Amino acid sequence: MPKFNPHLWPKPPLILCYGVAALSVITALIIARWLEINLQTAPVSLFLCAVMLSAWFGGIGPGLLAAALSALAFAYYFLPPIYSLVVEAKEIPRFLIFALSAILVGSLSAAQRRAAESLRRARDDLDATVQELKRSNEALQTENAERTRVEEALRESEEQWRDVFENNPTMYFIVDVAGTVLSVNPFGADQLGYTVNELVGHSVLNVFYEADRDAVQRNVAICLEQLGQSMSWEFRKVRKDGRVIWVRETAKAVLREKIHPIVLIACEDITDRKRAEEALQKQARLLDLTHDTVFVRNMHDVIIYWNRGAEELYGWKKEEACGKVAHQLLHTIFPAPLEEITAALHRTGRWEGELVHTRRDGTHVTVASRWALESDPQGNPLAVLETNNDITGSKQAAQALRQQANLLKQAHDAIFVWEFPSTIVYWNRGAEQLYGFSREEAIGRPSHELLHTEHPIATPGFEAVLERAGTWTGELTHTTRDGRKIIVESRHVLMREADGRRLVLETNRDITERKRTEATLEQAFQEIQVLKDQLYKENLALKEEIDRSSMFEEIVGASPVLQDVLARIAKVAPTDSTVLITGETGTGKELIARAIHKRSQRSTRAFVNVNCAATPPSLIASELFGHEKGAFTGALQRRLGRFELAEGGTIFLDEIGELPAETQVALLRVLQEREFERVGGTHTIRADVRVIAATNRDLNAAIAAGTFRKDLYYRLNVFPIESPPLRERQDDILLLVEYFIDRYASKAGKKIRDINKKTLELLQSYPWPGNIRELQNVIERSVIVCDTETFSVDEAWLSRETPATGPASQPLSEQLVTHEKDMIEAALAEARGRVSGPLGAAVKLGLPPSTLESKIRSLKISKHRFKSI
């Protein structure tokens, strides 16, 4: 039973405390009265006891009340006045002593109660502390016991794991993050022909086949990134004696001592299974020679082989089908659950039946299917070889035959049955009405003699088609009894009787009138086609006239200087000569190249564009000529170069002046010998490609500086064309402005009807250092902000700063280099040294960022000094 704790009980109400004080004094007075009556004496201590009880129960206040009441009772009872209510003077000391004694007794009682309560509270706190210590001690003992149990379990688990690691017939490896073998079990070392000491401390990659090492290293790195997750892969390992074996590895990365990551690898020898699979693959490849549908699915229902017949039947290519789940790819409708078929395969190794598959185009096909279970030398099932024969035609023919049998008597079409080779055995009423022969006259006679027509059975391949598909449909010309020629739509259905006879159900429908109508429509269509061709030729002539008057392909303008360029394009386009296009940036050099290609004899083949400045120098050779697998780091597979992609067509080498020196040698060989080799390859490849090059640099200056080969320049400069700057084509500005306004207004959904006169004068007076590209950008920007039908350009967008020109004695090439350098430095200053990005100098100059970086390096411009401007 719990001890009484006064702190847990509510303090008595104040009225109760004072009530107890008054009741205790009254009780003492009554007892004193009773004692006086019966014993002629009454002890004063009764009142002191009442004071003590009141102070003990209620505290100081009730104690003082009891003391005051006791003093009154004492004065009334023990010192009763005789003549008045005033106590006699000689009794006052006695009264005061009593009153002080009552107060003292009450105070002592209240103090004693408080001390007792404090002592009890301290004792309760001590008991609670002792209980808490007991509970903590019990919890600590429980935790120590649990820790001991866990340590014992870990010790047992470690012993079991070590026993498995040392004695299990499975190869186990433990490697660190660097791939170093930390531990290997004896069985694993023995399987590879090594001792444990020969493997521990060395790289685990040493035991892998050399071609697989990179893949192993990547997988180990991925495993370390995914701590605690198991991964599986299949690779080849090399024994100490040089023999190659296949293993399936399961790896998991864990933390050793909660800090260092390690990889646990379990290896299973799957050499026999791999060899069995390879043998099965070789066996399956032989089936590519047959037209039957053959494919192989593994025990997880995944397709691992798909022959040509399967491609033809289902419409899925081998690359698309292999790796897919068979019943999901074909949406197979099994006559029985797949589990029952699998059970039959494991029981007998064979299964035959009919299946319904879905082709790629969504149509269904019914096949007679044969399944054969293939196993490895140990009898473990490897895969299922499935052979399917399309019987959709036969099934449809049988269904059609059943349907036609029900409608045979009511049919209005001519229906009759003949037996091979052509003897009629059935003749319906529709045939009597169509051909004019009665049933008795037709039965027993050859059909081709009765109808005076060459029967389709004489057509090559007819019987084979009928045997394979079960049906044949076509058009025939028959002669009726009255000599009238009719055209019928004929359908033949093959029927096999139980006695081996082959019967053909032939249904013919008279389509003579329909054919006449079709002939009439065909004649009308031919007349329409003639008119259409004539209209097309007229439109083509009109378009050519418009092109001659205003545009050349996509080149807009009619100025004399541009007409000279177009004339040179027209002359060189039909030839295969190499063309070098020079000119400032933004003058349309690529348009000139495309125009040459479009008007050449190679226009139907590819036009391949290569920006030599946009490709890193280390990759430009691979970009142009391709590379073989393993030619360099990252070359995981063979890649065709741009010259191979442009075979028979045209390759456009833009920014040819940025080509690295080593690539210039390879390009020179292509131009001279018309052949090249892939990077890392030894096989010579012929190049039937027309080369068109372009540059905005002075190649003569580059030759003088030693950055461009002189012999390559002469090979490229067979037919030079200089693209004129826009400032020399003032007459073309109006045409270009109208052309660009029409293009961008249509794209923006706006209608612009005229051009502000002041804007036109501004555009014609501006020198256009960025040429057509700058004009195009200004027009597009202006169309975007234009809110009216009158086109205008903000004059602030056209800078009037003209590039400084060198002295008159300075060569033209040096003037161009100086002009280009000044433009780049001005753009860098405006962009605060930034090259790329929406606010970079490349955007302001209309150049790719890589091209601008190349020019900055070649011109030796320090872009960092502009960052503080």
Side-chain angles (χ1 to χ4, degrees):
M1 183 175 180
K3 295 181 179 180
F4 170 75
N5 189 348
H7 300 288
L8 299 179
W9 295 89
K11 187 175 181 181
L14 193 61
I15 187 172
L16 180 61
C17 294
Y18 284 100
V20 169
L23 184 61
S24 61
V25 174
I26 293 172
T27 303
L29 184 61
I30 293 172
I31 294 173
R33 181 62 179 169
W34 183 83
L35 291 175
E36 180 186 10
I37 294 173
N38 292 281
L39 301 177
Q40 284 82 37
T41 180
V44 179
S45 60
L46 289 174
F47 294 98
L48 296 179
C49 287
V51 173
M52 290 174 62
L53 177 63
S54 300
W56 179 268
F57 182 79
I60 295 177
L64 291 176
L65 175 63
L69 293 175
S70 298
L72 292 176
F74 178 82
Y76 175 77
Y77 186 78
F78 290 99
L79 303 174
I82 300 176
Y83 302 104
S84 66
L85 295 176
V86 180
V87 180
E88 294 181 4
K90 64 179 182 180
E91 299 294 337
I92 289 176
R94 182 181 174 190
F95 173 77
L96 292 175
I97 291 172
F98 175 80
L100 292 174
S101 298
I103 293 172
L104 180 62
V105 168
S107 300
L108 290 176
S109 297
Q112 184 179 4
R113 176 179 177 172
R114 286 195 300 272
E117 289 179 353
S118 298
L119 181 62
R120 190 180 299 109
R121 188 182 300 109
R123 184 175 60 194
D124 292 342
D125 292 342
L126 181 61
D127 290 342
T129 302
V130 172
Q131 293 296 327
E132 185 65 27
L133 289 175
K134 287 182 179 179
R135 286 193 296 270
S136 299
N137 188 30
E138 291 174 356
L140 183 60
Q141 291 177 355
T142 303
E143 182 179 355
N144 290 334
E146 181 66 20
R147 182 180 302 169
T148 303
R149 186 184 65 79
V150 171
E151 290 177 353
E152 291 178 355
L154 289 175
R155 191 159 41 250
E156 293 177 0
S157 175
E158 182 179 0
E159 292 175 356
Q160 293 175 358
W161 181 86
R162 187 170 297 280
D163 180 65
V164 170
F165 184 80
E166 297 290 342
N167 303 319
N168 197 301
T170 303
M171 291 182 280
Y172 290 107
F173 290 83
I174 303 178
V175 299
D176 60 11
V177 294
T180 304
V181 178
L182 301 177
S183 180
V184 59
N185 67 332
F187 179 82
D190 183 66
Q191 285 293 101
L192 297 175
Y194 294 91
T195 63
V196 173
N197 293 332
E198 288 177 330
L199 294 177
V200 174
H202 296 81
S203 175
V204 72
L205 298 177
N206 294 339
V207 298
F208 281 93
Y209 193 69
E210 186 174 0
D212 295 345
R213 291 178 182 176
D214 291 341
V216 172
Q217 200 166 7
R218 287 194 300 271
N219 288 355
V220 170
I222 295 173
C223 189
L224 287 168
E225 293 175 358
Q226 302 176 359
L227 284 173
Q229 297 187 12
S230 296
M231 297 182 59
S232 297
W233 53 73
E234 294 181 0
F235 289 116
R236 292 166 289 183
K237 287 190 175 182
V238 182
R239 290 173 46 86
K240 188 176 182 179
D241 57 10
R243 186 163 60 90
V244 178
I245 63 173
W246 276 93
V247 296
R248 178 177 178 83
E249 296 189 341
T250 302
K252 178 188 288 188
V254 298
L255 292 179
R256 184 182 185 185
E257 298 176 356
K258 299 182 179 181
I259 299 176
H260 307 291
I262 59 175
V263 181
L264 310 178
I265 305 176
C267 305
E268 176 189 0
D269 189 349
I270 59 171
T271 306
D272 292 339
R273 179 171 68 81
K274 278 291 185 179
R275 290 174 180 171
E277 288 181 356
E278 291 174 359
L280 184 60
Q281 293 270 352
K282 292 179 181 178
Q283 176 185 359
R285 290 190 189 100
L286 297 177
L287 297 174
D288 271 334
L289 303 176
T290 181
H291 293 286
D292 292 339
T293 300
V294 181
F295 59 90
V296 180
R297 59 175 88 192
N298 64 14
M299 301 313 296
H300 300 289
D301 200 34
V302 176
I303 297 173
I304 60 176
Y305 175 75
W306 189 262
N307 83 328
R308 189 176 303 166
E311 291 181 350
E312 295 174 355
L313 178 61
Y314 298 113
W316 298 94
K317 296 295 184 182
K318 180 184 296 185
E319 298 78 10
E320 298 171 323
C322 290
K324 300 291 181 62
V325 179
H327 72 272
Q328 293 180 355
L329 180 70
L330 304 177
H331 302 286
T332 307
I333 301 174
F334 293 97
L338 179 59
E339 292 77 9
E340 295 184 12
I341 298 178
T342 305
L345 283 174
H346 286 287
R347 186 172 58 254
T348 63
R350 294 287 186 272
W351 181 86
E352 294 185 9
E354 292 184 2
L355 301 176
V356 179
H357 288 163
T358 303
R359 294 188 179 96
R360 185 171 189 169
D361 58 5
T363 60
H364 295 289
V365 58
T366 304
V367 296
S369 185
R370 295 180 179 87
W371 297 30
L373 183 64
E374 299 289 340
S375 304
D376 61 13
Q378 288 75 31
N380 300 316
L382 282 179
V384 176
L385 177 66
E386 184 173 340
T387 304
N388 296 327
N389 185 21
D390 184 7
I391 59 172
T392 307
S394 300
K395 300 291 287 186
Q396 291 176 348
Q399 179 67 20
L401 184 59
R402 286 192 295 269
Q403 294 176 354
Q404 289 176 358
N406 296 329
L407 302 175
L408 202 56
K409 295 181 181 180
Q410 293 80 17
H412 295 286
D413 294 337
I415 301 175
F416 54 93
V417 179
W418 50 271
E419 181 181 359
F420 272 90
S422 63
T423 304
I424 296 175
V425 296
Y426 176 78
W427 190 264
N428 81 331
R429 184 178 302 174
E432 292 179 348
Q433 296 174 352
L434 179 61
Y435 296 109
F437 295 97
S438 64
R439 182 173 180 274
E440 292 76 12
E441 292 173 323
I443 293 178
R445 297 177 63 180
S447 61
H448 63 280
E449 294 180 3
L450 181 67
L451 305 178
H452 301 286
T453 184
E454 183 181 351
H455 201 274
I457 197 163
T459 303
F462 168 78
E463 186 173 356
V465 173
L466 199 59
E467 287 285 349
R468 183 174 66 253
T471 62
W472 181 89
T473 303
E475 293 182 1
L476 301 174
T477 301
H478 286 167
T479 303
T480 62
R481 187 168 190 170
D482 56 7
R484 187 167 45 91
K485 295 288 186 179
I486 63 172
I487 302 175
V488 295
E489 185 178 61
S490 183
R491 178 179 176 84
H492 296 65
V493 178
L494 179 64
M495 301 181 295
R496 299 180 185 276
E497 297 296 313
D499 56 3
R501 293 190 305 158
R502 293 184 300 168
L503 302 178
V504 176
L505 173 66
E506 184 172 341
T507 305
N508 294 329
R509 176 173 296 177
D510 186 4
I511 59 171
T512 307
E513 291 299 325
R514 190 184 78 185
K515 296 298 288 184
R516 290 173 183 168
T517 303
E518 288 178 355
T520 303
L521 292 175
E522 179 66 22
Q523 183 178 0
F525 175 76
Q526 290 177 358
E527 294 176 357
I528 294 173
Q529 188 65 34
V530 170
L531 295 175
K532 180 179 178 182
D533 292 342
Q534 182 178 355
L535 181 61
Y536 172 75
K537 292 177 182 178
E538 293 176 355
N539 288 337
L540 185 61
L542 180 61
K543 182 178 179 181
E544 291 177 353
E545 179 65 26
I546 294 173
D547 286 345
R548 284 193 298 269
S549 62
S550 61
M551 295 178 60
F552 190 91
E553 307 301 343
E554 295 180 358
I555 303 174
V556 181
S559 62
V561 64
L562 182 62
Q563 291 301 319
D564 292 341
V565 173
L566 300 182
R568 294 177 65 81
I569 293 174
K571 291 179 180 180
V572 77
T575 71
D576 278 346
S577 299
T578 303
V579 179
L580 177 61
I581 306 172
T582 59
E584 299 178 9
T585 180
T587 57
K589 295 186 287 296
E590 183 178 349
L591 290 181
I592 294 176
R594 290 186 180 274
I596 294 173
H597 170 74
K598 190 172 182 181
R599 292 180 176 250
S600 70
Q601 298 177 356
R602 300 172 179 264
S603 59
T604 58
R605 306 302 296 271
F607 178 84
V608 178
N609 188 344
V610 181
N611 191 317
C612 301
T615 305
S618 59
L619 298 179
I620 185 65
S622 171
E623 182 72 14
L624 291 176
F625 309 115
H627 64 255
E628 298 289 349
K629 180 180 180 181
F632 49 85
T633 302
L636 303 181
Q637 60 185 2
R638 188 176 71 176
R639 182 179 184 274
L640 301 182
R642 295 300 183 93
F643 270 93
E644 289 181 80
L645 297 177
E647 180 66 17
T650 304
I651 187 169
F652 175 53
L653 304 178
D654 197 8
E655 303 290 350
I656 190 68
E658 309 298 332
L659 204 63
E662 59 273 12
T663 311
Q664 293 180 27
V665 177
L667 179 59
L668 181 62
R669 180 187 176 190
V670 175
L671 295 175
Q672 289 178 341
E673 309 295 338
R674 295 295 175 181
E675 62 183 25
F676 63 91
E677 295 177 359
R678 298 192 188 100
V679 177
T682 57
H683 178 65
T684 300
I685 301 172
R686 298 293 301 175
D688 179 19
V689 180
R690 180 179 191 173
V691 177
I692 301 177
T695 181
N696 58 8
R697 294 185 58 186
D698 183 3
L699 293 184
N700 289 318
I703 293 172
T707 59
F708 199 82
R709 295 180 63 93
K710 190 174 184 179
D711 49 359
L712 177 59
Y713 171 73
Y714 290 130
R715 282 290 178 182
L716 292 172
N717 197 30
V718 176
F719 194 93
I721 296 177
E722 184 176 359
S723 180
L726 187 57
R727 58 181 174 272
E728 297 179 5
R729 298 170 51 190
Q730 294 293 327
D731 297 340
D732 294 338
I733 291 180
L734 178 58
L735 288 175
L736 288 168
V737 170
E738 292 176 347
Y739 175 74
F740 288 134
I741 288 176
D742 182 66
R743 177 197 291 183
Y744 295 118
S746 299
K747 186 183 299 184
K750 297 182 178 182
K751 290 185 178 180
I752 298 179
R753 300 185 182 277
D754 54 2
I755 305 174
N756 184 278
K757 182 177 180 181
K758 183 179 180 181
T759 294
L760 185 59
E761 294 175 353
L762 177 65
L763 295 177
Q764 290 179 330
S765 63
Y766 182 63
W768 298 109
N771 294 297
I772 300 175
R773 184 181 292 114
E774 183 182 4
L775 174 63
Q776 179 179 353
N777 294 339
V778 169
I779 299 299
E780 182 177 6
R781 190 188 320 164
S782 301
V783 169
I784 292 174
V785 302
C786 184
D787 295 327
T788 65
E789 294 184 351
T790 300
F791 177 79
S792 61
V793 174
D794 188 352
E795 187 174 357
W797 292 349
L798 303 179
S799 173
R800 286 294 176 177
E801 295 181 2
T802 58
T805 59
S809 59
Q810 190 177 20
L812 176 61
S813 60
E814 295 182 7
Q815 293 182 27
L816 293 175
V817 172
T818 303
H819 175 62
E820 183 178 25
K821 184 175 181 181
D822 292 341
M823 288 182 62
I824 293 174
E825 288 181 344
L828 287 173
E830 186 178 352
R832 296 185 178 273
R834 187 183 297 108
V835 175
S836 58
L839 300 178
V843 175
K844 300 179 183 299
L845 294 174
L847 294 175
S850 57
T851 302
L852 182 57
E853 289 283 5
S854 177
K855 289 183 178 293
I856 290 173
R857 290 194 299 270
S858 63
L859 295 174
K860 298 180 180 180
I861 299 174
S862 176
K863 59 185 179 181
H864 302 289
R865 64 188 178 91
F866 297 101
K867 294 185 176 180
S868 59
I869 297 178

